[in-house]
Amino acid sequence: MVANRKIAFINLDTRQVEITPIPDEWRRKYIGGRGLGTYLACRDAASECDPLAPGNPVVISAGLLAGTLSSPCALTTLTTQSPLTGFLESAHLPGRFAAEMRWAGFDPLVITGRARRWASIYIHDGAIRIYNTPHLKGAGLTRVSDQLRRDLRDDDVKTIAIGPAGENRGRFATLADDLGHVTGRTGLGAVLGAKRIKACLLYTSDAADDYLTV
């Protein structure tokens, strides 16, 4: 599954997810999470796009060796136009998310548009769904992960989430994973907040689907 990964294009305006294989040409030309993420962020961005506008994509990708036995610490790379600098920037988050994303069959995720309500992106075993999560609004970074584990009754949920600063589009806003790793570069929390995305999460339990509602 690590070698046979796919790109997921997630449109928040329509709540549709398009899944396609990674072209071999891209694999050769754009190496690693930063390489492919930079290409996709440039390719899919609207012309002269404001960083907090719906047309500014966020690309979540994995480092070259994430999900393999070659790397003890996988990096999740997040690429977007920064609200702090106005330039295309990448930020890196250590932890388990990148490897789990690849094992679920995806790398990278390209997120565009803006959700009508506060929502989160759920990833599980080759499928991606968008669910409304208004009950998470206002929650801090630690509380988001704890609440999602309770919601899904799954202690193995992996998350990337924003806090209140991101919700309010603070241009310095960070994001964090369920282990407490934080990436403070580029104001990525503000970009996800502008898209009304509270969290991206991976879960492993098939039984968790029984507790999800649109």
Side-chain angles (χ1 to χ4, degrees):
M1 188 63 80
V2 172
N4 191 29
R5 60 192 186 274
K6 298 177 176 63
I7 301 176
F9 296 94
I10 302 168
N11 188 319
L12 300 175
D13 294 326
T14 62
R15 298 177 76 101
Q16 292 182 337
V17 179
E18 179 185 352
I19 299 171
T20 64
I22 299 177
D24 289 339
E25 180 184 2
W26 294 4
R27 291 176 185 265
R28 292 191 296 268
K29 292 178 65 174
Y30 311 110
I31 298 176
R34 178 179 287 183
L36 187 55
T38 298
Y39 169 70
L40 290 168
C42 291
R43 191 195 74 155
D44 293 348
S47 177
E48 298 182 0
C49 179
D50 184 285
L52 300 182
N56 181 30
V58 174
V59 183
I60 303 177
S61 51
L64 184 63
L65 299 178
T68 73
L69 297 178
S70 302
S71 175
C73 181
L75 285 177
T76 304
T77 299
L78 300 103
T79 306
T80 191
Q81 186 178 350
S82 168
L84 280 175
T85 67
F87 297 111
L88 191 72
E89 303 275 8
S90 292
H92 306 286
L93 189 67
R96 304 175 296 181
F97 192 91
E100 294 282 353
M101 179 172 66
R102 274 202 173 147
W103 290 333
F106 300 107
D107 174 31
L109 314 176
V110 183
I111 305 170
T112 57
R114 176 179 293 154
R116 294 183 180 180
R117 301 177 182 178
W118 280 100
S120 296
I121 297 169
Y122 288 64
I123 305 167
H124 174 63
D125 195 21
I128 297 177
R129 299 179 180 89
I130 303 168
Y131 291 99
N132 294 333
T133 51
H135 64 297
L136 296 179
K137 189 174 185 296
L141 296 172
T142 301
R143 188 179 141 205
V144 172
S145 297
D146 293 341
Q147 184 61 54
L148 287 169
R149 290 190 181 104
R150 288 194 293 269
D151 291 346
L152 295 171
R153 304 182 190 181
D154 183 352
D155 291 333
D156 202 31
V157 174
K158 314 296 190 301
T159 62
I160 294 176
I162 65 171
E167 294 174 5
N168 290 288
R169 306 184 189 186
R171 293 177 185 265
F172 53 83
T174 64
L175 50 84
D177 70 1
D178 54 288
L179 296 177
H181 299 123
V182 176
T183 178
R185 297 183 66 245
T186 77
L188 268 164
V191 181
L192 285 179
K195 295 184 177 302
R196 298 196 185 100
I197 289 298
K198 183 65 177 180
C200 297
L201 60 133
L202 291 136
Y203 63 97
T204 58
S205 172
D206 292 332
D209 290 335
D210 297 335
Y211 311 118
L212 291 171
T213 56
V214 177

